[in-house]
Amino acid sequence: MRKINLNFVRTLLCICLMVCSVCAFAAKKSDKAKGKNAKMPEWINQPSAVYPNASYITYVGSAADRSASEVNALQGLAAIFGQSVKSDSTANSRMTQAKENGLVANANVQTFSQEVKRKVDVDNLIGVETKEYWQDAANGTWYAIAVLDKSKAVEIYAEMIKKNASAIDTVLKNIGSDKNSFDAFGAYDFAEEIAVENEKHLNKISVIDNSLAGGLKSYCPSSKNFHAKKMEIAKNIPINIQTFNDEHGRYKQAFSKAVADAGFKGTFDDSVRYTLIAKFEFERSDTTDKKTVRCRYNCESYIVDATTGHQIVPFTVKGRESHVDYEEAQRKAEAALVEKIKKDFSEALYSYIRSAAE
């Protein structure tokens, strides 16, 4: 049997590895040279040559990676409409639910990747597509062009405006017989929110083709008018305020201010439909080292609707304050409680009314 020459095998393997390395280097060099010589697409420097201004609105974005270039292109196009595309502009839960239920118009945008959707609010980019990408192999820069088809976008926005106008009519027709109620206030508050959506849509149509916007104005009642009507209703809704364990009436005054700040009218008339009932508790506790003493405070409140008998607008405030002297700790607790009522109750009232209208 012939013996295998190990030295010969080692030499042969080394030669093969060297050849492969040379080939890979040559291929890489060839690819790089090809990238430098690749012709930049015309749409990068002159978008209108590929997407005529008469039919399209475009914006070219560039970045170190493809996704970022697309986001930049979308942001640039949105800026033409004066719109932000950041995700922190998302709608509240009531509007989101209304869109899911089909009451309010919602365009189903599926052309963007999940990564892009996380960075932009696609509802502000209806009718927009990222049409093309290109990477400059010489420096690695990515380019993307966002394109809005004017005729397609106008058609979508016009349809949404008309659907939203119908939604406003539906919301207002569902108001009960009591026109000065939380239900009526919530209905006009919702109508105002939908009207704001329509004003945004109409603004975009005006940018795309101002001549077409005039014919849709009749479907866009003013959100300011709905706001004025809402606040007029609030002024005609008295809320009777009753507090317990409120020796000096400080908490009643705090609730009265919060109610007034929300636009409603505080009263001591117990014959009205809505009565706010608030109870307060204070509790002493010593720290382990006995150097300070705490005063825990707790406020539990709700509004009784005399028409339905329901307890609504639950509102709770809890906390504690410390001091070497209990009386001082209690004084601090009372002051903190008053400030929290003034600061937070108005929003709690609005939040309840809005959630009830979902």
Side-chain angles (χ1 to χ4, degrees), residues 316-335:
T316 300
V317 178
K318 294 182 178 181
R320 69 183 184 185
E321 294 293 333
S322 302
H323 199 268
V324 294
D325 178 70
Y326 179 70
E327 289 186 0
E328 181 62 21
Q330 184 172 5
R331 188 195 67 76
K332 291 173 62 179
E334 291 172 347

Side-chain angles (χ1 to χ4, degrees), residues 44-65:
I44 292 178
N45 292 318
Q46 194 176 356
S48 61
V50 182
Y51 301 96
N53 292 335
S55 302
Y56 303 97
I57 297 176
T58 62
Y59 194 92
V60 176
S62 61
D65 61 80

